[in-house]
Amino acid sequence: MKKEKDDYVAHVYIKTALEDACPGVVSCADILALAAAVSSVLAHGPYWKVPLGRRDGLTANRTFANINLCCSRPRHY
């Protein structure tokens, strides 16, 4: 649980610093996408170009969000 809390704190720290420097410009989705890409490279994993310019949603819809997840479909063994 501590690692998840540390990860969240790091994300909030980054978002706060970016909002102070560039209010309303960088979305949480961009931060998470960039963090995933950089983490992969630092762990000697694959590199991929991250397209930026996402917009954070104003509403949440669990059903819509789960439509294309790999785990939302039944598994066939």
Side-chain angles (χ1 to χ4, degrees):
M1 183 67 165
K2 182 177 179 338
K3 173 149 178 27
E4 288 84 6
K5 184 178 179 185
D6 291 345
D7 292 344
Y8 178 75
V9 169
H11 178 263
V12 170
Y13 176 80
I14 293 166
K15 179 65 175 168
T16 301
L18 286 168
E19 280 297 319
D20 288 346
C22 312
V25 175
V26 181
S27 74
C28 289
D30 279 338
I31 294 170
L32 293 174
L34 287 167
V38 169
S39 296
S40 176
V41 171
L42 290 174
H44 305 287
Y47 165 82
W48 63 90
K49 186 173 181 177
V50 178
L52 302 175
R54 292 164 183 79
R55 295 184 181 169
D56 290 338
L58 299 177
T59 62
N61 182 316
R62 180 181 293 187
T63 302
F64 183 72
N66 288 333
I67 288 174
N68 292 317
L69 293 178
C70 65
C71 302
S72 65
R73 296 182 204 107
R75 293 183 185 195
H76 300 285
Y77 294 98

